[in-house]
Amino acid sequence: MNRGLLIVFEGIDGSGKSTQCRMLADLLNKKGIANISLAEPTRGKWGMKIRQLLAKGRNGISANEELEWFMNDRREDVKQNIEPALKAGKVVLMDRYYFSTAAYQGALGFDPEKIRVDNERFAPIPDRVLIFHNSPEKSLERIESSREEKSAFEKRDYLIEVQTIFKSFTGPNIRYVSSDSSLEKVYEQVLCEVQDLFEVKL
Ligand code: TYD
């Protein structure tokens, strides 16, 4: 089967993963490697409900509903975007995927491992997952300088718990990238961690 590649960027808010994801997309474009960049939560119907929750806080929305919304959003993303792109042989770059659900909704009290297993029943397993980590203080600094107000997802204690869960993931497709250093240094690490998936030199 001529399946493309699925590369996922994960980490707590303010870890710099979105910038690195864009940098890799630019490089693939320069090299003429067909790729698509996707992000979750999406801009679809469930993603927009989630964005409301991010902007307005969790008031009245139960943890169960929150988890349901992220799962529904992903089901839609898999069917409409991820599977077709992989079938077309593209490199799919994702800014967040089900490891975020395991970590963020896991930090609300759900079992992260169960979330991961439930997702893997319908969501393609990535060829590589880059988990960005830095001190939550550094993340909060970045968040505070770039946003007017923190969402319920960006509070210090919650992020520390999320980070702890992110650090617990293991598997042959999982790599940790320390994002405390400069943009260039982090980018070097990113290239190093995905190079073996490509025939050409990145
Ligand atoms: P984020 O990547 O910060 O989106 P944007 O840059 O467009 O604002 O994601 C928004 C938030 O959603 C982030 O705090 C993490 C959270 N999130 C979950 O809690 N569970 C999930 O499954 C996903 C995909 C995201």
Side-chain angles (χ1 to χ4, degrees):
M1 194 173 73
N2 197 9
R3 179 190 183 267
L5 277 177
L6 181 54
I7 302 176
V8 176
F9 291 68
E10 292 279 13
I12 56 174
D13 302 76
S15 61
K17 65 181 169 41
S18 306
T19 307
Q20 295 292 333
C21 191
R22 276 194 297 275
M23 287 166 78
L24 183 58
D26 288 347
L27 179 70
L28 296 183
N29 287 338
K30 271 198 209 114
K31 300 263 170 190
I33 300 171
N35 68 90
I36 179 172
S37 293
L38 300 172
E40 291 183 1
T42 69
R43 307 225 155 244
K45 98 175 157 280
W46 292 103
M48 293 319 277
K49 265 171 94 88
I50 294 167
R51 285 175 190 283
Q52 280 271 316
L53 176 108
L54 293 171
K56 302 220 168 99
R58 292 193 171 102
N59 352 314
I61 313 268
S62 73
N64 271 310
E65 276 173 290
E66 178 177 318
L67 175 61
E68 269 297 302
W69 292 4
F70 280 108
M71 295 292 277
N72 291 344
D73 187 38
R74 182 156 310 115
R75 275 195 199 91
E76 215 170 68
D77 203 20
V78 166
K79 279 266 157 311
Q80 291 179 3
N81 306 310
I82 302 172
E83 277 176 347
L86 288 175
K87 276 206 187 104
K90 290 185 186 162
V91 177
V92 180
L93 300 178
M94 295 207 54
D95 186 346
R96 295 195 186 281
Y97 198 34
Y98 59 83
F99 302 85
S100 277
T101 320
Y104 282 83
Q105 280 60 55
L108 293 179
F110 295 100
D111 175 7
E113 194 46 35
K114 182 176 184 308
I115 292 181
R116 181 170 166 172
V117 170
D118 286 348
N119 274 274
E120 288 178 351
R121 279 189 232 284
F122 69 90
I125 296 177
D127 297 281
R128 189 85 7 117
V129 185
L130 303 178
I131 301 182
F132 289 72
H133 64 96
N134 56 5
S135 63
E137 275 67 28
K138 179 116 182 171
S139 280
L140 287 168
E141 248 171 55
R142 286 192 187 147
I143 292 167
E144 272 155 15
S145 63
S146 68
R147 317 234 212 300
E148 278 170 14
E149 228 180 293
K150 287 201 288 273
S151 80
F153 289 66
E154 297 169 338
K155 299 284 171 352
R156 187 173 185 279
D157 291 351
Y158 183 61
L159 279 188
I160 289 173
E161 186 56 33
V162 171
Q163 171 98 303
T164 304
I165 302 174
F166 267 132
K167 282 188 174 162
S168 72
F169 298 137
T170 52
N173 57 351
I174 292 181
R175 303 290 155 83
Y176 287 91
V177 174
S178 156
S179 55
D180 272 321
S181 45
S182 69
L183 207 68
E184 293 73 26
K185 281 255 156 7
V186 178
Y187 184 53
E188 266 172 37
Q189 282 184 67
V190 169
L191 294 187
C192 193
E193 296 297 2
V194 300
Q195 177 62 71
D196 64 301
L197 300 172
F198 295 87
E199 280 164 17
V200 295
K201 170 97 183 68
L202 293 178

